[in-house]
Amino acid sequence: MMGSMPLPPGPSEPAAIQMSEWIVRPTALLRRCHARYGEPFTLRIGWSDAPMVLVSDPADIKRIFAAGPDVLQGGASSSVLEPFAGPRSILLLDGAEHLRQRRLMLPPFHGEALARWRDTVARLARAELDGWQPGTPVRAHTRMQTLTLEVILRVVFGTGDPELRAAIRRTLDMTTSMPRLVAMSLVQRPVGPWAAFMRAVKRLDAVLYERIDARVDDGSVLAVLTAARHEDGSPPSREELRDQLVTLLAAGHETTAGALGWALERLARHPDVLARVRAGDDEYLEAVIKEVLRARPVLSIVGRKTRAPFAVGGWDIPAGIHVVPCIYLTHRRADLWGDPTAFRPERFLDGAPEPYAFIPFGGGRRRCLGAAFATLEMREVLRAVAERFMLRPDRAEGERMRRRSITLTPARGGYVVPEALASSPRDADVLPSQPPDRELPDLQSRAAG
Ligand code: HEM
């Protein structure tokens, strides 16, 4: 373990080959490496600036999440996002600066502050479902992208303003193609796709600063952050606000869209599960959401980078290496989860999983800031679907996990066919008083990234 071979074993293919598999067949790569090399193993992917040592053992994961920023750095792993999210983004900062931003941003995403978004989410979900026709296949992931963007716009900015939506859509779309992201991060010169991306960011910034400067007191996250103060009493600057807003959009929209896309893909293949959600069992609905996040985690790894030597699985990892808990592999360990490939929400009713066996939102001082909000959003959307439709798959076999930028989403987009409920008293009650919300754009035909 010393000298000529300082890192755990892993595939010896060139970085470009490992990267192409990481993009095209990510879960097969992870499963193969885990089977062949055991735990931990090392991937060398051209795109990341250093080798990645992957772990799925809860004991190691616990130590990784507990390590301080002087040992394991969180922010460095997202540096490809810097030109978009900005240098003050909570995703990119580390140590005291990270904590300062995190303290500022936590309050609107917790407890009571969150609960008041429930009706907004439920209303937007129902408006989306107004556009679904019984018997007509729906590309669930695409529809959920539209819906989650709308939700985050209302929550973060308090508005579904079309100009803001268009500027955000344009910029986010440019970050959802992995090959393009890689090309952009490698080149970063004022030519080609990079230049186009920077132009889109500039246009988005103009709209964002307009909203920031308007200082509308509408209870939105922006309004709360504008009024908030750092611990030393200083207000956040315009630039800080801009970076955190973009971060919330980037971190909160594709992730939740992917998770909901998977939820619908799974529920269409498990009508008994959907029926139980429809019956109004809230505890079971929570278990369904957890099982979706376990079996189909949209983010496959949690990024950390060593600043000092760090021991994992009997290896002494030197400084400058990514040491990453692998969400996908952790959630599939047969020693932690009985029948791990089965979709079985009941497993979460039988008692809490072992600590650090269930890590869809990462952990420690960088745990997902929007975890509670994402869960609320999933709950309201799935409840609205269950109330309105039965779902069936367009094909019997489940969809494979495909990489779309950094998220793993249904390979074909999560096609489901909504069917009218045999008798739907709720529809009869609810629909006449809920006219279709024309503000929701129809992006059904938008090309997949
Ligand atoms: C199902 C949906 C989501 C999943 C699976 C997810 C997952 C994650 C993961 C794995 C991390 C990294 C945690 C770590 O490094 O330990 C993260 C960070 C983060 N997420 Fe989420 N997320 C989701 C939704 C959201 C939403 C809706 C928001 C905002 C409204 C959000 C905001 C953030 C932010 C700001 C961070 C950075 C936290 C920090 O570095 O301190 N996420 N998320």
Side-chain angles (χ1 to χ4, degrees):
M1 276 174 241
M2 299 286 287
S4 62
M5 201 170 141
L7 295 181
S12 55
E13 286 90 4
I17 305 272
Q18 293 191 38
M19 176 157 73
S20 80
E21 217 186 340
W22 177 253
I23 294 171
V24 181
R25 292 161 48 81
T27 52
L29 173 70
L30 291 170
R31 286 196 307 270
R32 197 186 70 229
C33 289
H34 197 248
R36 185 173 306 170
Y37 305 107
E39 160 104 21
F41 63 87
T42 305
L43 288 180
R44 291 175 170 81
I45 295 174
W47 174 51
S48 97
D49 62 349
M52 287 197 311
V53 174
L54 281 82
V55 304
S56 67
D57 181 337
D60 285 330
I61 294 172
K62 179 178 179 186
R63 287 182 45 254
I64 291 171
F65 285 157
D70 46 332
V71 182
L72 290 184
Q73 196 179 354
S77 305
S78 311
S79 52
V80 63
L81 284 172
E82 171 153 357
F84 179 39
R88 306 155 210 87
S89 161
I90 181 173
L91 276 176
L92 300 169
L93 294 171
D94 218 21
E97 268 305 305
H98 167 257
L99 206 60
R100 181 174 148 89
Q101 295 298 339
R102 198 170 160 98
R103 290 211 174 105
L104 186 80
M105 290 173 78
L106 273 173
F109 288 101
H110 273 264
E112 289 296 299
L114 263 192
R116 65 200 173 86
W117 296 115
R118 226 183 42 217
D119 290 346
T120 307
V121 176
R123 186 174 59 79
L124 291 171
R126 284 196 298 264
E128 163 60 32
L129 298 180
D130 286 340
W132 294 21
Q133 300 298 328
T136 305
V138 171
R139 198 169 187 275
H141 180 227
T142 312
R143 294 313 312 158
M144 292 302 108
Q145 284 177 299
T146 302
L147 176 57
T148 58
L149 180 57
E150 207 58 28
V151 166
I152 199 110
L153 278 176
R154 302 289 170 114
V155 170
V156 172
F157 297 101
T159 165
D161 173 34
E163 193 192 354
L164 182 61
R165 182 194 301 127
I168 290 168
R169 193 64 277 169
R170 218 173 13 240
T171 322
L172 287 178
D173 278 350
M174 295 177 126
T175 66
T176 53
S177 151
M178 185 76 179
R180 204 190 297 130
L181 247 193
V182 171
M184 290 196 306
S185 72
L186 295 178
V187 180
Q188 298 209 353
R189 279 188 287 121
V191 289
W194 180 252
F197 179 57
M198 289 321 289
R199 278 198 301 275
V201 172
K202 244 186 149 157
R203 279 203 297 268
L204 171 61
D205 282 356
V207 187
L208 289 178
Y209 281 123
E210 217 171 273
R211 292 278 331 155
I212 291 170
D213 294 338
R215 301 183 79 90
V216 182
D217 185 11
D218 55 5
S220 64
V221 170
L222 170 57
V224 175
L225 291 182
T226 306
R229 293 293 173 263
H230 286 297
E231 279 178 331
D232 60 10
S234 64
S237 68
R238 288 170 86 228
E239 291 75 19
E240 267 177 281
L241 288 172
R242 179 265 172 220
D243 289 0
Q244 307 314 350
L245 294 177
V246 172
T247 299
L248 290 174
L249 292 170
H253 151 61
E254 285 292 346
T255 43
T256 318
L260 278 167
W262 277 121
L264 298 177
E265 189 272 354
R266 291 289 80 199
L267 289 174
R269 287 167 179 83
H270 295 273
D272 48 326
V273 173
L274 185 57
R276 193 161 162 191
V277 171
R278 184 174 305 117
D281 181 342
D282 283 349
E283 199 191 344
Y284 187 69
L285 177 54
E286 293 299 317
V288 170
I289 291 167
K290 286 181 177 157
E291 180 67 345
V292 170
L293 295 171
R294 182 197 69 83
R296 296 292 185 276
V298 276
L299 294 180
S300 55
I301 54 172
V302 188
R304 298 288 186 271
K305 193 175 183 183
T306 53
R307 283 187 136 159
F310 187 80
V312 273
W315 293 82
D316 229 348
I317 310 298
I321 306 290
H322 298 282
V323 173
V324 298
C326 181
I327 301 174
Y328 175 76
L329 289 174
T330 307
H331 288 183
R332 289 177 62 96
R333 278 177 74 119
D335 58 340
L336 300 174
W337 306 96
D339 200 2
T341 56
F343 183 74
R344 212 168 55 79
E346 292 75 14
R347 66 175 85 239
F348 283 97
L349 298 176
D350 300 341
E354 190 178 309
Y356 302 96
F358 181 62
I359 52 165
F361 296 111
R365 72 201 76 209
R366 302 201 77 102
R367 183 174 189 272
C368 177
L369 193 99
F373 182 73
T375 308
L376 175 148
E377 184 170 359
M378 291 181 75
R379 195 186 301 133
E380 293 310 315
V381 174
L382 296 183
R383 198 179 272 146
V385 170
E387 281 177 1
R388 190 82 69 89
F389 296 110
M390 296 191 290
L391 299 178
R392 62 179 171 82
D394 68 331
R395 297 181 194 172
E397 71 273 20
E399 296 198 22
R400 293 202 332 205
M401 298 183 84
R402 190 196 69 170
R403 185 172 294 283
R404 196 174 181 282
S405 158
I406 56 167
T407 54
L408 300 186
T409 59
R412 293 189 299 111
Y415 273 101
V416 301
V417 185
E419 299 286 4
L421 293 178
S423 80
S424 60
R426 282 175 190 269
D427 276 6
D429 292 348
V430 172
L431 279 180
S433 59
Q434 297 285 340
D437 184 341
R438 294 289 166 218
E439 288 170 81
L440 270 189
D442 180 16
L443 297 184
Q444 185 91 39
S445 55
R446 195 163 68 80

